[in-house]
Amino acid sequence: MKDTHTDEIQTLDSKVVYQNRWMTVREDSIGREDGYRGIYGVVDKPDFVVVIALDGDDVYLVEQYRYPVKGRHLEFPQGAKEGAETFDALSVAKAELREECGLLAADWQYVGEQFLAYGMCSQRYHIFVAKTLTKTTQALEEEEQGLTVHKLPLVEVKARIINGEMMDSTTCNAFGLATLKGFI
C-alpha cells in the first residue's frame, strides 16, 4: 500500500475565507511536481464523536431539524467539543450521550475513526458503542432545540438504512462498521 502521508500536492499559499466558532473555510493555492498550479477549498472543523447507545436489541437515535437539507432526520447522537482544548473522544462521547439522550453508560467500547468527507474537509469522527445504560436528565444546547430521542429495534434501523429512510452518512457508516467489527 502506498504511503498516505506523502505530500503529492504542495501548499503554496493559504488564506482563510470564512470562519465562525464551528468551522474555518480556507482556500489553498496548490502545486504539483509536474508544474500544475490550482486552488483547493478546505473546510476545517473539529473532530467529533458518534455514539451507538445499545439497550439489548434496541438502539437510541436522535431526530433533529438539519437546516442545510431542510428536514428532520434520525441519526446517532453526535457532537464535537469547541475551542482549543485537547480533544478527548471518550469524554466528548459521554457528554454527548448525556446531553442529547439523557443517558449514562457504564460500558464504553471504541469502534474506530473515520474521515467525514476527506475530499473537502479535514474533520474525522470517532465511533463508540455505549451499553449498560441508565437514564438521567437531558441537557440540550441552544442549537439543539426540537431534538427528540427515539429508541428503535436494531432490525428497524438496519431496514431504514437499506431503504434510504436514514441518510446521515455518519450514522450509516458507524452502524456498518460497528456491525462488521462485531459490536452490534
Side-chain angles (χ1 to χ4, degrees):
M1 180 178 222
K2 189 174 181 180
D3 179 9
T4 59
H5 298 292
T6 303
D7 287 336
E8 295 179 26
I9 300 174
Q10 300 299 315
T11 304
L12 305 174
D13 187 40
S14 184
K15 67 179 176 180
V16 172
V17 294
Y18 176 79
Q19 187 171 27
N20 65 30
R21 72 183 231 208
W22 298 284
M23 75 173 76
T24 299
V25 180
R26 67 176 203 270
E27 184 175 276
D28 292 352
S29 297
I30 56 106
R32 294 181 186 265
E33 286 183 24
D34 67 1
Y36 172 82
R37 299 292 183 259
I39 61 169
Y40 214 104
V42 178
V43 178
D44 289 316
K45 293 186 70 156
D47 286 358
F48 70 104
V49 298
V50 181
V51 181
I52 303 170
L54 293 177
D55 186 11
D57 291 331
D58 296 327
V59 65
Y60 285 89
L61 295 111
V62 296
E63 180 185 70
Q64 58 186 319
Y65 185 80
R66 291 300 194 176
Y67 176 79
V69 295
K70 306 291 187 206
R72 294 185 65 79
H73 297 276
L74 282 171
E75 61 196 43
F76 289 134
Q78 304 173 30
K81 183 176 183 178
E82 299 170 24
E85 296 177 39
T86 305
F87 181 78
D88 176 354
L90 180 57
S91 294
V92 175
K94 289 178 177 182
E96 287 301 321
L97 184 61
R98 183 187 179 283
E99 289 170 12
E100 293 188 2
C101 294
L103 294 170
L104 302 174
D107 180 16
W108 287 89
Q109 298 169 314
Y110 187 70
V111 176
E113 67 182 78
Q114 299 283 294
F115 283 105
L116 180 66
Y118 56 49
M120 58 167 262
C121 184
S122 63
Q123 188 177 41
R124 69 179 70 215
Y125 57 95
H126 304 266
I127 306 162
F128 290 89
V129 169
K131 296 180 180 177
T132 316
L133 306 172
T134 56
K135 292 192 186 277
T136 187
T137 56
Q138 196 179 34
L140 296 176
E141 296 176 359
E142 191 172 310
E143 294 86 7
E144 296 170 324
Q145 291 180 22
L147 180 143
T148 57
V149 179
H150 301 266
K151 185 178 180 181
L152 298 175
L154 284 166
V155 295
E156 183 177 336
V157 172
K158 181 179 178 182
R160 287 181 181 216
I161 291 171
I162 290 169
N163 71 25
E165 283 181 63
M166 291 180 63
M167 296 176 59
D168 175 55
S169 62
T170 302
T171 294
C172 295
N173 183 60
F175 184 88
L177 188 60
T179 300
L180 290 169
K181 287 187 162 188
F183 290 95
I184 297 177

